[in-house]
Amino acid sequence: MTIKVVIAGFKGKMGSTAVDMVKSDDQLELAGLLDPFATEKEIDGVPVFTVKEALVGFEADVWVDFTMPKVAYGNTRFALENGFAPVVGTTGFTEEQIAELKALSSEKQLGGLIAPNFAIGAILLMEFATKASKYFPDLEIIELHHDKKKDAPSGTAIKTAELIREARAFKKQGAEDEEELITGARGAEFNGFRIHSVRLPGLVAHQEVIFGAQGEGLTLRHDSYDRSSFMSGVNLGIKEVVKRKELVYGLENLLS
Ligand code: NAP
């Protein structure tokens, strides 16, 4: 039986890459497409929608979302309320929103995934950084993305910071009398450590976690050079959420 997939944000950089991935997999069927500025009524027989409400009652199993931070929460709620298991790559969710969506998925007995990063290397970077933070509590996160990215810091940086918060004994870094001569020079403060966001044309998605200790340093880095790096994770997410009855936050929760 094929899994019927709707892709929201199908005209975007990630959404269009996800369309190609779904089309290339015999176990998946591209059932519907959503983008507010689409002018087509259908593409190769696949219906195109411009508002999510038009999908009430639509027959599909999974809702893939690569849209924009300001609409992703509403889209994910809508998917759960209408029987589509969400696989969401859009970033910018608050912790409260994720908790609400988890509760809604349990109530609806529907699987789902919100993954700030679908690349396996990024998942491993988060795991290694979390482990290292127990031994190296002094650290800084530097995330680097293309200059069209709307949210900062990245969802991956926030997720990394949240995982580190769980593992690392709290420590406020930097000198007591440290002074920013230009506002923002030390980056965003999260649980005593700093997150820096770099935006440049030519970049895709990259992250470093730099650890410093007495007389030694450790740098962990992951690079997504191409958006295809995310697609095996999206594919896995689609195939896993249909088997599950609750939404998880982070692809690592679906890896065995
Ligand atoms: P993008 O190229 O700007 O694509 C976003 C698309 O969503 C655009 O085509 C946009 O249409 C459309 N859109 C806007 N509002 C919508 C709505 N209400 N319903 C449906 N579609 C809507 O951005 P991108 O680079 O593909 O990134 C999309 C998201 O994925 C971002 O949040 C990014 O951070 C995230 N991302 C996640 C991962 C991961 O591994 N989880 C990896 C890379 C990126 P218009 O342009 O016509 O407004």
Coordinates of all heavy atoms in Angstrom, one line a residue, residues 123-157:
I123 N 22.2 15.2 13.2 CA 21.7 14.4 14.4 C 22.9 13.9 15.2 O 22.9 14.0 16.4 CB 20.8 13.2 13.9 CG1 19.7 13.6 13.0 CG2 20.2 12.4 15.1 CD1 18.7 14.6 13.5
L124 N 23.9 13.4 14.5 CA 25.1 12.9 15.2 C 25.8 14.0 15.8 O 26.3 13.9 17.0 CB 26.0 12.1 14.2 CG 25.4 10.8 13.7 CD1 26.3 10.3 12.6 CD2 25.3 9.8 14.8
L125 N 25.9 15.2 15.2 CA 26.6 16.3 15.8 C 25.9 16.7 17.1 O 26.5 17.0 18.1 CB 26.6 17.5 14.8 CG 26.9 18.9 15.4 CD1 28.3 18.9 16.0 CD2 26.7 20.0 14.4
M126 N 24.5 16.7 17.1 CA 23.8 17.1 18.3 C 24.1 16.1 19.4 O 24.3 16.4 20.6 CB 22.3 17.1 18.0 CG 21.9 18.3 17.2 SD 20.1 18.4 17.1 CE 19.8 18.1 15.4
E127 N 24.2 14.8 19.0 CA 24.4 13.7 20.0 C 25.8 13.9 20.6 O 26.0 13.8 21.8 CB 24.3 12.4 19.4 CG 24.2 11.2 20.3 CD 24.0 9.9 19.6 OE1 23.3 9.8 18.6 OE2 24.7 8.9 20.1
F128 N 26.8 14.1 19.7 CA 28.2 14.2 20.2 C 28.4 15.5 21.0 O 29.1 15.5 22.0 CB 29.2 14.2 19.0 CG 29.2 13.0 18.1 CD1 29.6 13.1 16.8 CD2 28.7 11.8 18.6 CE1 29.6 12.0 16.0 CE2 28.7 10.7 17.8 CZ 29.1 10.7 16.5
A129 N 27.8 16.5 20.6 CA 27.9 17.8 21.3 C 27.3 17.7 22.7 O 27.8 18.2 23.7 CB 27.2 18.9 20.5
T130 N 26.1 17.0 22.8 CA 25.5 16.8 24.1 C 26.4 16.0 25.0 O 26.6 16.4 26.2 CB 24.2 16.0 23.9 OG1 23.4 16.7 23.0 CG2 23.4 15.9 25.2
K131 N 27.0 15.0 24.5 CA 28.0 14.2 25.3 C 29.2 15.0 25.7 O 29.6 15.0 26.9 CB 28.4 12.9 24.5 CG 29.3 12.0 25.3 CD 29.5 10.7 24.6 CE 30.2 9.8 25.5 NZ 30.7 8.6 24.8
A132 N 29.7 15.8 24.8 CA 30.9 16.5 25.1 C 30.7 17.6 26.1 O 31.6 17.9 26.9 CB 31.5 17.2 23.8
S133 N 29.4 18.1 26.2 CA 29.1 19.3 27.1 C 29.2 18.8 28.6 O 29.3 19.7 29.4 CB 27.8 19.9 26.8 OG 26.7 19.0 27.1
K134 N 29.1 17.5 28.8 CA 29.2 17.1 30.2 C 30.7 17.3 30.7 O 30.9 17.5 31.9 CB 29.0 15.5 30.3 CG 27.5 15.2 30.2 CD 27.3 13.7 30.4 CE 26.1 13.2 29.6 NZ 26.1 11.8 29.5
Y135 N 31.6 17.1 29.8 CA 33.0 17.2 30.1 C 33.6 18.6 29.8 O 34.6 19.0 30.4 CB 33.8 16.1 29.4 CG 33.2 14.8 29.6 CD1 32.4 14.2 28.6 CD2 33.4 14.1 30.8 CE1 31.8 13.0 28.8 CE2 32.8 12.8 31.0 CZ 32.0 12.3 30.0 OH 31.3 11.1 30.2
F136 N 33.0 19.3 28.8 CA 33.5 20.6 28.4 C 32.3 21.6 28.5 O 31.6 21.8 27.6 CB 33.9 20.6 26.9 CG 35.2 19.8 26.6 CD1 35.2 18.5 26.3 CD2 36.4 20.5 26.6 CE1 36.3 17.8 26.0 CE2 37.6 19.8 26.3 CZ 37.5 18.5 26.0
P137 N 32.0 22.1 29.7 CA 30.9 22.9 29.9 C 31.0 24.3 29.3 O 30.0 25.0 29.1 CB 30.7 23.0 31.4 CG 32.1 22.7 32.0 CD 32.7 21.8 31.0
D138 N 32.2 24.7 28.8 CA 32.4 26.0 28.2 C 32.3 25.7 26.7 O 33.1 25.0 26.1 CB 33.8 26.6 28.5 CG 33.8 27.0 30.0 OD1 33.3 28.1 30.2 OD2 34.3 26.3 30.8
L139 N 31.3 26.3 26.1 CA 31.1 26.1 24.6 C 30.3 27.2 24.0 O 29.7 28.0 24.7 CB 30.2 24.8 24.5 CG 28.8 24.9 25.0 CD1 27.8 24.9 23.9 CD2 28.5 23.7 26.0
E140 N 30.5 27.3 22.7 CA 29.7 28.3 21.9 C 29.2 27.6 20.7 O 29.8 26.7 20.1 CB 30.5 29.5 21.5 CG 31.3 30.1 22.7 CD 30.9 31.6 22.9 OE1 30.4 32.3 22.0 OE2 31.3 32.1 24.0
I141 N 27.9 27.9 20.3 CA 27.3 27.3 19.0 C 27.4 28.4 18.0 O 27.0 29.5 18.2 CB 25.9 26.9 19.3 CG1 25.8 25.8 20.3 CG2 25.2 26.4 18.0 CD1 24.4 25.3 20.7
I142 N 27.9 28.0 16.8 CA 27.9 28.9 15.7 C 27.1 28.2 14.5 O 27.6 27.1 14.1 CB 29.3 29.2 15.2 CG1 30.1 29.8 16.3 CG2 29.3 30.2 14.0 CD1 31.6 30.1 16.0
E143 N 26.0 28.8 14.2 CA 25.3 28.2 13.0 C 25.4 29.1 11.8 O 25.4 30.3 12.0 CB 23.8 27.8 13.4 CG 23.0 29.0 13.9 CD 22.1 29.7 12.9 OE1 22.4 29.5 11.7 OE2 21.2 30.4 13.2
L144 N 25.5 28.5 10.6 CA 25.8 29.3 9.4 C 24.7 28.9 8.4 O 24.6 27.6 8.1 CB 27.2 29.1 8.9 CG 28.3 29.3 9.9 CD1 28.7 27.9 10.6 CD2 29.6 29.7 9.2
H145 N 24.0 29.8 7.8 CA 23.0 29.5 6.8 C 23.0 30.5 5.6 O 23.6 31.6 5.8 CB 21.6 29.5 7.4 CG 21.3 28.2 8.2 ND1 21.7 28.0 9.4 CD2 20.6 27.1 7.8 CE1 21.3 26.8 9.8 NE2 20.6 26.2 8.9
H146 N 22.3 30.1 4.6 CA 22.1 31.0 3.4 C 21.4 32.3 3.9 O 20.7 32.3 4.9 CB 21.3 30.3 2.3 CG 19.9 29.8 2.8 ND1 18.8 30.6 2.8 CD2 19.5 28.7 3.4 CE1 17.8 30.0 3.3 NE2 18.2 28.8 3.7
D147 N 21.5 33.3 3.1 CA 21.0 34.7 3.5 C 19.5 34.9 3.3 O 19.0 36.0 3.6 CB 21.8 35.8 2.8 CG 21.7 35.7 1.3 OD1 21.3 34.7 0.8 OD2 22.0 36.7 0.7
K148 N 18.8 33.8 2.9 CA 17.3 34.0 2.7 C 16.6 33.4 4.0 O 15.4 33.4 4.1 CB 16.8 33.2 1.5 CG 17.4 33.7 0.2 CD 16.9 35.1 -0.3 CE 17.4 35.6 -1.6 NZ 18.8 35.9 -1.5
K149 N 17.4 32.8 4.9 CA 16.7 32.2 6.0 C 16.0 33.2 6.9 O 16.6 34.3 7.2 CB 17.8 31.4 6.9 CG 17.2 30.7 8.0 CD 18.2 29.6 8.6 CE 17.6 28.9 9.8 NZ 16.3 28.2 9.5
K150 N 14.8 32.9 7.3 CA 14.0 33.9 8.0 C 14.2 33.9 9.5 O 14.0 34.9 10.2 CB 12.5 33.7 7.7 CG 12.2 33.9 6.2 CD 10.7 34.0 5.9 CE 10.4 34.4 4.5 NZ 11.0 33.6 3.4
D151 N 14.5 32.8 10.1 CA 14.6 32.7 11.6 C 16.0 32.6 12.1 O 16.8 32.0 11.4 CB 13.7 31.5 12.1 CG 14.0 30.2 11.4 OD1 14.3 30.2 10.2 OD2 13.9 29.2 12.1
A152 N 16.3 33.2 13.2 CA 17.6 33.1 13.8 C 17.4 33.0 15.3 O 16.6 33.8 15.9 CB 18.5 34.2 13.4
P153 N 18.1 32.2 16.1 CA 19.0 31.1 15.5 C 18.2 30.0 14.8 O 17.0 30.0 14.9 CB 19.7 30.6 16.8 CG 18.8 30.9 17.9 CD 18.0 32.1 17.6
S154 N 18.9 29.1 14.2 CA 18.3 28.1 13.4 C 17.6 27.1 14.4 O 18.0 27.0 15.6 CB 19.3 27.3 12.6 OG 20.2 26.6 13.5
G155 N 16.6 26.3 13.9 CA 16.0 25.3 14.7 C 17.0 24.3 15.2 O 16.9 23.8 16.3
T156 N 18.0 24.0 14.4 CA 19.0 23.0 14.8 C 19.8 23.5 15.9 O 20.1 22.8 16.9 CB 19.9 22.7 13.6 OG1 19.1 22.3 12.5 CG2 20.9 21.6 13.9
A157 N 20.2 24.8 15.9 CA 20.9 25.4 17.0 C 20.1 25.4 18.3 O 20.6 25.1 19.4 CB 21.4 26.8 16.6

